[in-house]
Amino acid sequence: MPVKERLFWIVAIVLMGAAIHLAFVLFLPNYAMGRKFEVMRELAGGDNQFKVLSRDQAARYLVESDEDLVHGVCSIDLQGAPVRINAPVPAHYWSMNIYSERGDSIYTVNDLQVKADRFAVEIRRGEDQPAGAGETASTGGDENLARVTSQQRFALLVVRARAPTRQARRDVAKAIAASECKKRR
Amino acid sequence: MKNLLKFIFFLVASAAFGIYSAQFLYSNANSLLARTSGVWSSWTPAGASAVDPYTRAHFLTRGKLPLSRFEAIEFEATRSQDGEPFEQECAYRLEGKMPLVRWWSLGAYSGSGQPVEAALPDAAVTSEDVVYEADGSIKIVVSRTPAAGNWLRPPAEDGYRLILRLYNPASVVGSNGYAGALLSVARGACR
């Protein structure tokens, strides 16, 4: 093969490889997150339903999850109306994370930051904001109610609560099962 | 025919180059994007509201949802200090002092990300159930056969991962993540 033709193929492979590299890095995580939403929706029985995961479900669907944590999830659909999350805050470590459709954490809070035994978050879709304006969060004057704005229709809530013993695991699971994730009418 | 073969080679070589380079950057613990402390590596930007695509791919392609780094820092070890991947036939000795955080946990996970025999109580060690030495340091043995003292049972497979999580690490984490020392991981006897 002449040198010129060989050079052509090498450059073509590098350019095509770079395109595949970018496609892989940019699109595969979105696909994986889409699958995660489907699974969580299925486990909870639909959107805007809070579900405490069993230990096996957490191990299987929240890969490499911490064995000492009890997990609760809710697939949030913001179409039409905001969603209000209302959660009891147990005595041990507790955190609430809201993930965007891209898998980025758009809101996080833990028990040390909450000064009450219940905490609420209202999440709404910021359709009026320009695209790419990003997500915003505020407490709006009430320190036990956070207001979060998301640019996307779906979000995923994950509550993690620590259960240091097996007995505590049952109690913590029961406590966080009282969490609500409902559309506001 | 010759041109067709060239084109097929072009497609295969491009795909191999593109996929391998992407996976190398987002899944390799020694990637330039990961921060290391001894054998432990962490992906510092994880859990932020806007992270780079490689960090996002690192977690999501494995099915994981990253915690905010103010919530927890996660470190992963896949090899002992001699550079060899973990083997189920070998025992490993973890030694050192843990940073002062609210609480921490150490677990052993299979290559597929599933925790070890979830029903067994020895699949994780935490700051509350570990026995400390007089100077505040800890020693943990990771082996398939039970060992005296702090013991962690790894998966019945080679190439498993140890994951160390430091919760509420605000007092030890800087803008570039955690920069202090973590547990050393020495290979012991192999069966």
Side-chain angles (χ1 to χ4, degrees):
Chain A
M1 191 189 288
V3 176
K4 222 172 176 180
E5 191 184 342
R6 192 174 291 178
L7 199 64
F8 166 79
W9 283 112
I10 289 171
V11 170
I13 286 170
V14 169
L15 290 177
M16 186 67 167
I20 291 171
H21 175 111
L22 283 177
F24 216 70
V25 168
L26 295 176
F27 298 119
L28 203 60
N30 289 346
Y31 171 76
M33 196 61 194
R35 288 283 305 133
K36 182 78 69 192
F37 269 98
E38 280 174 31
V39 168
M40 295 305 159
R41 201 170 285 139
E42 206 171 290
L43 285 173
D47 287 320
N48 306 326
Q49 308 275 336
F50 188 81
K51 158 89 176 167
V52 177
L53 301 183
S54 69
R55 209 171 178 177
D56 287 346
Q57 286 171 332
R60 189 163 176 197
Y61 301 116
L62 297 175
V63 180
E64 291 178 355
S65 56
D66 199 315
E67 287 279 281
D68 259 30
L69 296 176
V70 177
H71 296 82
V73 296
C74 174
S75 166
I76 299 167
D77 181 0
L78 299 170
Q79 181 78 5
V83 168
R84 173 76 72 100
I85 298 153
N86 199 319
V89 181
H92 299 287
Y93 169 86
W94 168 93
S95 73
M96 178 193 282
N97 279 259
I98 299 173
Y99 296 92
S100 69
E101 285 178 31
R102 288 154 52 93
D104 296 341
S105 177
I106 57 173
Y107 182 75
T108 180
V109 67
N110 66 42
D111 60 316
L112 295 181
Q113 296 166 300
V114 175
K115 294 173 181 68
D117 55 4
R118 290 197 79 85
F119 189 72
V121 177
E122 189 171 288
I123 176 165
R124 62 175 64 237
R125 196 170 178 196
E127 284 172 317
D128 298 335
Q129 292 183 32
E135 287 78 12
T136 57
S138 73
T139 57
D142 179 353
E143 59 184 17
N144 294 315
L145 169 65
R147 292 191 168 85
V148 178
T149 306
S150 172
Q151 291 301 308
Q152 296 159 336
R153 177 179 169 182
F154 294 104
L156 182 64
L157 166 75
V158 180
V159 168
R160 298 172 173 93
R162 187 175 185 209
T165 63
R166 285 189 172 186
Q167 178 57 41
R169 190 172 185 88
R170 276 195 290 273
D171 297 340
V172 170
K174 201 173 162 187
I176 67 164
S179 303
E180 290 176 342
C181 173
K182 287 185 175 165
K183 196 156 263 196
R184 285 194 71 192
R185 297 289 171 199
Chain B
M1 185 65 186
K2 205 176 168 186
N3 281 343
L4 181 68
L5 284 175
K6 276 183 191 171
F7 187 67
I8 290 170
F9 174 77
F10 160 72
L11 287 180
V12 171
S14 307
F17 170 64
I19 293 170
Y20 177 79
S21 60
Q23 285 185 334
F24 180 82
L25 279 176
Y26 73 67
S27 64
N28 194 327
N30 296 319
S31 164
L32 294 173
L33 302 162
R35 193 177 175 88
T36 58
S37 172
V39 299
W40 303 93
S41 62
S42 71
W43 290 67
T44 307
S49 57
V51 299
D52 65 88
Y54 293 96
T55 300
R56 191 179 289 129
H58 174 75
F59 287 93
L60 295 180
T61 55
R62 282 159 68 178
K64 294 180 67 165
L65 289 170
L67 279 161
S68 152
R69 71 179 158 137
F70 299 105
E71 207 52 55
I73 315 181
E74 186 177 290
F75 294 90
E76 176 184 310
T78 55
R79 294 164 189 273
S80 55
Q81 278 160 206
D82 58 9
E84 295 297 319
F86 294 130
E87 293 176 47
Q88 58 164 317
E89 300 297 320
C90 299
Y92 297 90
R93 192 178 177 85
L94 280 61
E95 222 172 312
K97 281 191 176 176
M98 296 296 285
L100 286 173
V101 293
R102 188 173 177 196
W103 66 287
W104 55 262
S105 74
L106 173 71
Y109 294 81
S110 71
S112 64
Q114 302 304 311
V116 185
E117 300 143 25
L120 291 171
D122 311 307
V125 175
T126 72
S127 49
E128 280 186 10
D129 55 31
V130 76
V131 177
Y132 291 87
E133 301 292 311
D135 63 354
S137 65
I138 53 170
K139 291 175 182 168
I140 302 169
V141 174
V142 180
S143 66
R144 288 291 301 166
T145 50
N150 300 312
W151 169 59
L152 181 67
R153 181 198 291 266
E157 64 176 50
D158 294 335
Y160 60 84
R161 279 198 286 273
L162 295 177
I163 293 185
L164 173 65
R165 294 182 182 94
L166 310 178
Y167 287 90
N168 292 160
S171 57
V172 296
V173 69
S175 56
N176 288 322
Y178 175 71
L182 290 167
L183 301 175
S184 60
V185 183
R187 180 196 285 256
C190 298
R191 281 186 283 164

